[in-house]
Amino acid sequence: MANALVWFSQSGVVQGLILGAVLAFLTAILVMNAVGRAVTTTVNGWSAIRKCGQPGNGVLVRAACAKALPVVNVFEEAAYWTATVDGSGQTLSGGNGYVLHFPPGKLPPHDAFWSLTPTDTVGYMVENPANRYSVGDRSALAQNADGSVDIYLQRQAPSGHEQNWLPIPPGNFKLMFRVYLPGAAILDGTYQLPRIVRAQ
């Protein structure tokens, strides 16, 4: 038995098994990433996978959804968008300030609530001195004179607009926008989140 184990360990079989397992893992990641890109819709820099959680999804779509948004609800229950770039395609960075402008009457339609949350690039919230980690329909956001709403995404509080301020992390970051029980305009694709505009 001992001789067989020595032969097995020196024969290259073990190394072959390890190499095969590593290659299989890397291949699975590449396949899931490719499938994820194929089912992702991006508009104005915001990306969403509308197919997650639907019955009839194949194993590859289910795996891609689990990798992108673990434990995600079906889109009809909760719509999720993520953004890592601004409206001009530049990576979101805490070194800049941004504005998310909603025209009058164009806040996300819903039958529950919506929220906007900044995280680091992995998805973890980052401490900030204001202890404010999201804004949403329950944040009493101030309206402009024309009824529009601006959300200010920056490191320091914007003078005169503190009520609509959402602190962002110091380095590169991403945004997660959630709408629970989204309205018909979201479900049929006619509603679009506005571009994230870099402040001048």
Side-chain angles (χ1 to χ4, degrees):
M1 181 68 175
N3 289 338
L5 290 175
V6 170
W7 173 86
F8 185 75
S9 65
Q10 296 176 349
S11 68
V13 173
V14 173
Q15 292 87 341
L17 289 173
I18 293 172
L19 180 60
V22 170
L23 290 174
F25 175 78
L26 294 175
T27 300
I29 295 295
L30 291 173
V31 169
M32 283 189 290
N33 288 344
V35 172
R37 285 192 297 271
V39 297
T40 297
T41 302
T42 302
V43 178
N44 291 339
W46 293 97
S47 298
I49 303 177
R50 302 173 70 94
K51 292 176 64 70
C52 288
Q54 292 182 355
N57 281 344
V59 65
L60 292 178
V61 172
R62 293 199 302 272
C65 287
K67 182 176 181 293
L69 293 167
V71 199
V72 68
N73 294 315
V74 294
F75 204 77
E76 290 76 12
E77 292 180 0
Y80 299 84
W81 292 268
T82 58
T84 57
V85 297
D86 62 21
S88 63
Q90 300 299 308
T91 300
L92 294 174
S93 169
N96 304 315
Y98 303 92
V99 177
L100 192 59
H101 175 77
F102 293 89
K106 292 298 184 180
L107 287 169
H110 63 86
D111 291 322
F113 64 95
W114 64 265
S115 68
L116 173 64
T117 306
T119 68
D120 64 18
T121 54
V122 177
Y124 294 108
M125 292 184 184
V126 178
E127 285 190 46
N128 66 74
N131 288 320
R132 193 175 200 192
Y133 299 96
S134 69
V135 295
D137 61 302
R138 302 174 188 184
S139 300
L141 297 172
Q143 293 186 353
N144 299 317
D146 64 355
S148 63
V149 173
D150 291 319
I151 298 174
Y152 295 86
L153 303 152
Q154 54 191 64
R155 295 283 295 146
Q156 304 298 324
S159 178
H161 301 289
E162 292 84 357
Q163 191 169 344
N164 290 24
W165 173 43
L166 182 57
I168 56 176
N172 292 346
F173 68 96
K174 70 178 177 179
L175 294 171
M176 171 74 79
F177 208 113
R178 304 175 180 91
V179 181
Y180 292 89
L181 297 183
I186 292 177
L187 297 180
D188 66 21
T190 56
Y191 179 83
Q192 298 177 356
L193 289 175
R195 293 177 181 273
I196 303 160
V197 178
R198 182 172 171 176
Q200 301 300 321

